[in-house]
Structures are given as structure tokens and as C-alpha cells.
Amino acid sequence: ERLALDESASLELDRSVREACGGRSIRALINNGAYQVVRPFQVLELRDWQQTLNVNLLAPVMLCKLFQRDLA
């Protein structure tokens, strides 16, 4: 979720991944993260929806954007 909300987290992740890859480019992204709130619909709060969208939708979009040069 931090990746979707904090641009500095994106820059930190970019540096960490590139360091771990030893300068090699990223060739694929695998989205294996998910967040799910298991409660009746009637009691779900806005925060539940925001966190779900941040993790399941925005974080993968931000990862693709972050590594688009390598994936092109």
C-alpha cells in the first residue's frame, strides 16, 4: 500500500531492485500480492475499500510505471 501512496517509496524500491539485480534490467513483473477484507458488505468502511484498491490496483500500476523502461 505504501507504494501506491508515497512516491519516495517508489524511488526507494527502484534503487533496491536495481541493486539486487546487479544492473540487469527487469524483464517481467509478477503480481502476487493481494489484500482482501472479509466482512459483510454492509459493514465495510471507506478505509477498507481504499486499502484494497491501493494494494490490488494502484500498486501494480505503479510498479509497471516504475519499471516501464525495462519492460518495453
Side-chain angles (χ1 to χ4, degrees):
E1 181 179 27
R2 184 173 166 229
L3 179 64
L5 299 174
D6 181 2
E7 187 173 346
S8 67
S10 296
L11 298 174
E12 182 181 322
L13 177 65
D14 184 50
R15 281 191 299 272
S16 297
V17 169
R18 292 186 188 288
E19 183 179 308
C21 290
R24 295 182 307 269
S25 64
I26 304 299
R27 297 196 176 193
L29 287 176
I30 298 171
N31 181 19
N32 194 32
Y35 181 80
Q36 180 180 10
V37 178
V38 181
R39 284 191 260 171
F41 179 79
Q42 297 84 350
V43 298
L44 289 175
E45 299 179 10
L46 179 58
R47 176 70 187 136
D48 298 324
W49 288 105
Q50 288 172 329
Q51 190 168 15
T52 299
L53 290 172
N54 286 342
V55 172
N56 297 345
L57 175 66
L58 295 178
V61 167
M62 296 303 293
L63 286 168
C64 288
K65 185 175 178 182
L66 183 64
F67 296 113
Q68 68 183 337
R69 294 185 322 255
D70 295 308
L71 298 170

